[in-house]
Amino acid sequence: MTSEIKQLQQQLAKFAADRNWEQFHSPKNLAMALSGEVGELTEIFQWLTPEQSELLPEAKKAHLEKEMADVMMYLLRLADKCDIDLMAACQNKLIKNEQKYPVDKCFGSAKKYNEL
Amino acid sequence: MTSEIKQLQQQLAKFAADRNWEQFHSPKNLAMALSGEVGELTEIFQWLTPEQSELLPEAKKAHLEKEMADVMMYLLRLADKCDIDLMAACQNKLIKNEQKYPVDKCFGSAKKYNEL
Amino acid sequence: MTSEIKQLQQQLAKFAADRNWEQFHSPKNLAMALSGEVGELTEIFQWLTPEQSELLPEAKKAHLEKEMADVMMYLLRLADKCDIDLMAACQNKLIKNEQKYPVDKCFGSAKKYNEL
Amino acid sequence: MTSEIKQLQQQLAKFAADRNWEQFHSPKNLAMALSGEVGELTEIFQWLTPEQSELLPEAKKAHLEKEMADVMMYLLRLADKCDIDLMAACQNKLIKNEQKYPVDKCFGSAKKYNEL
């Protein structure tokens, strides 16, 4: 895992430990917290057209940054608690996705791999 | 941003471009895809007790790894498209959280900052 | 509450009781299950344009019907377990929304009430 | 469909039309709004134990009622826009679930039908 990500995970673990929050941070609870934050991120975009979402005004972009940070931090807490190397997991999944979505079969198509 | 994260973002951008998927990857759509993947992650934990969630059997942990990778990859696509430095956003949010949740006021409490 | 909704709640309670699933149906777990189903519903729409979402092909509409039913059924299970009259809650919320969103202030605007 | 549900759908359609909000209520956008509200509902439960979630204090129950109403109302807006009879969809899904989860195979088990 990248040292920056590992370092952030350690900062987040310390933040929780300092506040005696470990008791709340079961993977189940962290999954719920992650999902709640994604709900807040979703709200930013819900009434925007796809085109508007490409050109967020400054205030919305600042809001988005905060929500994305919350999502990322719960994701890293979860990875830490479940002893998952998130960057390695991404590389593994990317290899799988390359097999599931060969360029010639899915070019320009939004179909799921099992519908191709 | 960490070079590893930047590198992964570039891999993901290339993956999409190779498949002519840029047309689908508006921030709005990526937010929905992120939210869908978090739904799949949530399903892993929904019937588990908090205690069971601490000790995932190997198959569930492998499943979780895949779903976390999907969440991370859509989060990074979104960051890339919105030109957001996710690691910097996390450090900024962490500073805000330290102010919102001073140790002496929230020690051992799961209350929200506006309820403390 | 409408007798039809009450009747469906009772069907769902019996369905769970017959399978000895009451043990899994804490409000917390039902909230997660609800959230997981909404994730599946979201996936149906994620790559569609708003316009395409107005004109779902038959297969997608049938899929949507199933996911909406799943969402509704977990919502009713949750209402049942928490002793909440969902239809009354809607009427109460609708009155609040009328106060938060007076026609003359929010006509044609997607702003949140606290931004109006 | 029950007359009460149909009536509520009509109230919600009028609420939107009065505010010229039809333009925002594509099925895609309504799915996002639904998902955002479920995120808020999830937050209520995220740090509670399953046992605590069974015995919500009055303030949390009042909060839950509001969030459940929001979820229900967006679900009904979506049903209305997509011309889906939600109560019929539930009855159809319930029949399917009875086939997927026969009592003798899933008694006391939280496994998914394809793992039974």
Side-chain angles (χ1 to χ4, degrees):
Chain A
M1 194 172 312
T2 74
S3 55
E4 284 96 333
I5 283 194
K6 203 173 265 178
Q7 187 192 331
L8 179 51
Q9 280 185 323
Q10 287 166 354
Q11 282 180 281
L12 296 170
K14 181 170 162 28
F15 190 93
D18 283 350
R19 284 154 185 79
N20 196 21
W21 284 355
E22 280 290 340
Q23 59 185 313
F24 305 120
H25 286 193
S26 67
K28 182 184 179 85
N29 288 4
L30 291 169
M32 292 188 89
L34 175 67
S35 151
E37 296 300 341
V38 170
E40 294 184 33
L41 187 155
T42 299
E43 283 180 45
I44 296 174
F45 292 107
Q46 65 194 9
W47 307 128
L48 303 183
T49 63
E51 295 72 28
Q52 289 169 330
S53 80
E54 305 266 6
L55 289 165
L56 293 181
E58 209 48 51
K60 273 198 203 295
K61 189 179 162 184
H63 184 183
L64 177 62
E65 272 192 42
K66 278 186 217 151
E67 300 304 345
M68 289 183 72
D70 284 333
V71 172
M72 179 67 165
M73 294 195 290
Y74 280 125
L75 190 64
L76 288 181
R77 276 301 283 149
L78 185 59
D80 196 21
K81 292 286 297 187
C82 294
D83 199 22
I84 283 172
D85 181 331
L86 194 54
M87 294 305 277
C90 287
Q91 292 300 338
N92 292 337
K93 190 61 178 19
L94 202 46
I95 290 168
K96 285 218 176 68
N97 285 353
E98 272 161 9
Q99 292 161 349
K100 280 158 83 175
Y101 296 99
V103 171
D104 61 328
K105 279 181 77 179
C106 66
F107 189 83
S109 160
K111 283 189 186 164
K112 237 184 147 167
Y113 69 96
N114 51 16
E115 295 168 346
L116 284 170
Chain B
M1 193 173 313
T2 74
S3 55
E4 285 94 334
I5 282 194
K6 203 172 265 180
Q7 188 191 331
L8 180 49
Q9 281 186 322
Q10 287 167 353
Q11 282 181 284
L12 296 170
K14 180 170 163 29
F15 191 93
D18 284 350
R19 283 154 187 80
N20 196 20
W21 284 356
E22 281 290 338
Q23 59 185 314
F24 305 119
H25 285 196
S26 68
K28 182 183 179 85
N29 288 4
L30 291 169
M32 293 189 88
L34 175 67
S35 154
E37 295 301 339
V38 170
E40 293 183 34
L41 186 155
T42 299
E43 282 181 45
I44 296 175
F45 292 108
Q46 65 193 12
W47 307 128
L48 302 184
T49 64
E51 295 73 28
Q52 288 169 332
S53 80
E54 306 266 7
L55 290 165
L56 294 181
E58 208 48 51
K60 274 197 202 296
K61 188 179 163 184
H63 184 184
L64 177 61
E65 272 191 42
K66 278 185 218 154
E67 300 302 345
M68 289 182 73
D70 284 333
V71 172
M72 178 67 164
M73 294 194 291
Y74 280 124
L75 190 64
L76 288 180
R77 277 301 283 150
L78 185 58
D80 196 21
K81 292 285 297 186
C82 295
D83 199 22
I84 283 173
D85 181 330
L86 194 55
M87 295 305 276
C90 288
Q91 292 301 338
N92 292 338
K93 191 58 177 22
L94 202 45
I95 290 168
K96 285 219 175 67
N97 285 352
E98 272 161 11
Q99 292 161 348
K100 281 158 82 174
Y101 295 99
V103 170
D104 61 328
K105 279 182 76 179
C106 67
F107 189 82
S109 161
K111 283 188 185 162
K112 238 185 148 167
Y113 69 95
N114 52 16
E115 297 168 345
L116 281 171
Chain C
M1 196 171 310
T2 73
S3 55
E4 285 95 333
I5 282 194
K6 202 172 265 178
Q7 188 192 330
L8 179 50
Q9 281 185 321
Q10 288 167 353
Q11 283 180 283
L12 296 170
K14 182 170 162 29
F15 191 93
D18 284 350
R19 283 154 185 79
N20 196 20
W21 284 356
E22 282 290 339
Q23 60 185 313
F24 305 119
H25 286 192
S26 67
K28 182 183 179 84
N29 288 4
L30 291 169
M32 292 189 88
L34 175 67
S35 152
E37 295 300 340
V38 170
E40 294 183 34
L41 186 155
T42 299
E43 283 181 46
I44 297 174
F45 292 107
Q46 66 194 10
W47 306 128
L48 302 184
T49 63
E51 295 70 30
Q52 287 169 331
S53 81
E54 307 266 7
L55 288 166
L56 294 180
E58 208 49 51
K60 274 200 201 295
K61 189 179 161 182
H63 185 185
L64 176 61
E65 272 191 42
K66 277 186 217 152
E67 300 304 345
M68 289 184 73
D70 284 334
V71 171
M72 178 67 165
M73 294 194 290
Y74 279 124
L75 189 64
L76 288 180
R77 276 303 283 151
L78 185 59
D80 196 20
K81 292 286 296 187
C82 294
D83 200 22
I84 283 172
D85 181 330
L86 192 56
M87 294 305 277
C90 288
Q91 292 301 337
N92 292 337
K93 191 59 177 22
L94 202 45
I95 289 168
K96 285 218 178 66
N97 285 353
E98 272 161 10
Q99 292 161 349
K100 281 158 82 176
Y101 295 99
V103 170
D104 61 328
K105 280 182 76 180
C106 66
F107 189 82
S109 161
K111 282 188 185 162
K112 238 185 148 168
Y113 68 96
N114 51 16
E115 297 167 347
L116 281 171
Chain D
M1 197 173 309
T2 76
S3 55
E4 282 94 334
I5 283 193
K6 201 173 269 180
Q7 188 192 328
L8 179 50
Q9 280 185 323
Q10 288 167 353
Q11 282 179 281
L12 296 169
K14 181 172 163 27
F15 190 93
D18 283 351
R19 283 153 185 79
N20 196 19
W21 284 356
E22 280 290 339
Q23 58 184 314
F24 305 119
H25 285 194
S26 68
K28 181 182 180 88
N29 287 5
L30 291 169
M32 292 189 89
L34 175 67
S35 154
E37 296 299 339
V38 169
E40 294 184 33
L41 187 155
T42 299
E43 283 181 44
I44 297 175
F45 292 108
Q46 66 193 10
W47 307 128
L48 302 184
T49 63
E51 296 72 29
Q52 288 170 331
S53 81
E54 305 266 6
L55 289 164
L56 294 181
E58 208 50 48
K60 273 198 203 296
K61 189 179 162 183
H63 185 183
L64 176 61
E65 272 191 43
K66 276 185 220 155
E67 300 303 346
M68 289 183 72
D70 284 334
V71 172
M72 179 66 165
M73 293 194 292
Y74 280 125
L75 189 64
L76 288 181
R77 276 302 283 150
L78 185 59
D80 196 21
K81 292 286 297 186
C82 295
D83 200 22
I84 283 173
D85 181 331
L86 193 55
M87 295 303 278
C90 288
Q91 292 301 337
N92 292 337
K93 191 60 176 20
L94 201 45
I95 290 168
K96 285 219 177 66
N97 285 352
E98 271 161 11
Q99 291 162 350
K100 279 157 83 177
Y101 295 99
V103 172
D104 61 327
K105 280 182 76 180
C106 65
F107 189 83
S109 160
K111 282 188 186 162
K112 235 184 149 168
Y113 69 97
N114 51 16
E115 297 167 346
L116 283 170

